[in-house]
Amino acid sequence: MKSGADARESEGSTVAELVQARWGDHRAGLRFEDRVLSHHQMTAGAAARAALLTDLLSSHGEPHIGVLLDNTPEYPQWLSAAALSGAAVAGINPTRRGAELARDILHTDCQILVTERAHLPLLDGLELPGIRTLVTDTPAYEDLLAPYADAAPEIARTVGPASRMLLYFTSGSTGAPKAAICSQGRLAAAGRSLAAHFGVRAEDTHYICMPMFHGNAVIADWAPALAAGAGVALRRRFSASGFLTDVRKFGATYFTYVGRAVQYILATPAQPDDRENPLRIGFGTEAGAVDAARFQERFGVRLVEGYGSSEGGAAIQRTPGTPAGAIGRAAPGDDLAVVDPVTLRECEAARFSPDGRLLNGAAVIGELVNRGPNPFEGYWRNEEAQAERVRDGWYWTGDLFYRDGSGHFYFAGRTDDRLRVDSENLAAAVIENILARYPRAAAVAVYAVPDPVAGDQVMAAVAPVPGAGFDPHDFAQFLLEQGDLGTKMAPRFVRVLGRMPVTATNKVARGELRRDAFRCPDPVWWRPPGAAAYRRLTPADVSTLLAEYRTHARDHLLTR
């Protein structure tokens, strides 16, 4: 086997081959807390676990293992072990509870569940028939692995590019989470592509602080490091306050983010030496142009906003000359279009003011579709969801976009983030990008609440920067100064909270915000119909509003 300096850095049509190529490489491969493991040690650990899997998995069931772990060295070792043995990993979300957690494990037909002592209470009382549980941080687990300590990283004869590698759950905001299938070939190709695109080097270190049960951490962070022979550094759970300390400690040069992680890092107190860090690049989604600019100014690190649907059906790549705020152009081979889901017609091109503000938002926002061949590999045992994703021969992403006359795409939110105010269609992400300019806000989120009569009203949640508080008059003046804030876009309700609620993957928990609407424990400011100024929403106001909902038989739309 070749060692680090001359290893086959970008070869390998399967993840198993990429894992095997690290055997004999004694450079630092993984850093976690105060531990350092070489690539060779990680591969040896994977080989031992693969050999164990061969003995434990029954040929009468699916070769699937559930992994219910924080970001510890066990996680990438089990990913690698699954690749070598031809098994598939179902990433289990530790924020799920009770019947929902059991459903995820059973739905993916796991024969084995790998977990740790900290998560054992989550399994109390769950009915998981026929599933063997391995608890990693126990003597029994070490005893179980011991006979396989000298195993070499052999690739099972059944392994090929089409072998299932991942069953990772997509958002469950519109029902039970769907388990998207990712093959070894697709994951290896994604790793090689990202490594080439970002110039990942063998001497780089990828910082993985997003949870590894999610596709972002595995596909966009772990896989390109594996393809390039780079090291990884793990953070058990994301910490905004620990981010820069970790980056310096581990010598991290690359990281990925999802959702509001960037906002939380920016909300930490600025220090004069923030730019003294080894990072070269950050890659992710939903940071927004304003926060990306702030991040680069403060830390000297460029954030690249990318887009690739979790299921692999569409991808947008940032290329030189991409305008500010745009994601990029369609990846080679993709026939992407922004389509009105009712008429199936392409939306018109976006027009901008001289200072780059969107002028015709209502007419240009539609759902992103891929009309050509795509690598979507389906959902595990969910034909209904699969048929919804692929309709009329097109792959429907479920995401809202708009496109300019040069073919650059701009993200506008999820399809269920669309609002309809006074018969005008709006996208939450477009309004959020405007509100993100408010200097007193550390984080903002925009979502729909039902109008008492028809359609929706705009509601915003605002988390002020520490010590700033919320001044409704200052906020109202800020809105008046935003030339691209349409007359229907100004929030009717503003919820002021200390911290934005987020999911386990650091995306805003919009479902929770929508369920609360204006009946929440936090202060809410509102503009009554016809009023220009915000005032505090009182219990009497809530009673009057609820009576109006009942009058128009729309009170059932308020879910609390």
Side-chain angles (χ1 to χ4, degrees), residues 223-238:
L226 184 66
V232 299
L234 298 180
R235 174 84 189 195
R236 179 178 284 274
R237 298 186 192 92
F238 171 72

Side-chain angles (χ1 to χ4, degrees), residues 214-251:
H214 190 255
N216 168 274
V218 175
I219 298 172
D221 214 342
W222 180 71
L226 184 66
V232 299
L234 298 180
R235 174 84 189 195
R236 179 178 284 274
R237 298 186 192 92
F238 171 72
S239 167
S241 61
F243 175 80
L244 195 55
T245 299
D246 277 356
V247 163
R248 289 168 172 160
K249 173 182 176 180
F250 298 132

Side-chain angles (χ1 to χ4, degrees), residues 186-385:
R186 180 156 79 87
L187 184 58
R192 294 195 308 271
S193 175
L194 287 169
H197 185 71
F198 290 118
V200 179
R201 306 160 302 193
E203 59 268 27
D204 281 327
T205 297
H206 284 211
Y207 179 51
I208 303 179
C209 56
M210 296 292 99
M212 293 193 75
F213 65 77
H214 190 255
N216 168 274
V218 175
I219 298 172
D221 214 342
W222 180 71
L226 184 66
V232 299
L234 298 180
R235 174 84 189 195
R236 179 178 284 274
R237 298 186 192 92
F238 171 72
S239 167
S241 61
F243 175 80
L244 195 55
T245 299
D246 277 356
V247 163
R248 289 168 172 160
K249 173 182 176 180
F250 298 132
T253 53
Y254 172 105
F255 77 103
T256 61
Y257 59 87
V258 175
R260 293 296 178 258
V262 167
Q263 286 186 338
Y264 291 130
I265 295 170
L266 289 170
T268 61
Q271 302 295 331
D273 61 350
D274 280 342
R275 280 176 163 257
E276 296 177 14
N277 66 76
L279 281 174
R280 289 193 297 113
I281 202 162
F283 176 53
T285 62
E286 300 179 36
V290 172
D291 286 333
R294 291 174 178 167
F295 196 92
Q296 183 163 11
E297 179 181 359
R298 176 171 166 184
F299 298 104
V301 179
R302 181 169 65 98
L303 297 186
V304 176
E305 286 279 292
Y307 175 81
S309 67
S310 299
E311 297 86 345
I316 297 172
Q317 295 183 349
R318 189 174 187 88
T319 55
T322 297
I327 302 297
R329 298 179 185 270
D334 283 354
D335 179 13
L336 302 188
V338 177
V339 172
D340 183 312
V342 176
T343 66
L344 302 186
R345 295 176 180 170
E346 281 197 60
C347 297
E348 64 182 68
R351 291 183 286 107
F352 301 92
S353 65
D355 60 353
R357 301 181 183 224
L358 182 64
L359 297 176
N360 57 338
V364 303
I365 295 171
E367 186 168 349
L368 183 71
V369 302
N370 189 348
R371 300 177 297 194
N374 64 80
F376 174 51
E377 296 175 304
Y379 296 117
W380 182 253
R381 301 199 191 286
N382 196 332
E383 293 182 3
E384 181 180 353

Side-chain angles (χ1 to χ4, degrees), residues 362 419-426 451 454-457 488:
L419 305 86
R420 188 167 178 81
V421 180
D422 295 341
S423 299
E424 184 173 327
N425 290 322
L426 306 173
D451 182 87
D456 303 313
Q457 288 291 342
K488 310 297 184 185

Side-chain angles (χ1 to χ4, degrees), residues 429-446:
V430 173
I431 305 173
E432 275 184 14
N433 287 338
I434 297 171
L435 300 189
R437 303 170 193 153
Y438 187 51
R440 296 189 180 192
V444 296
V446 171

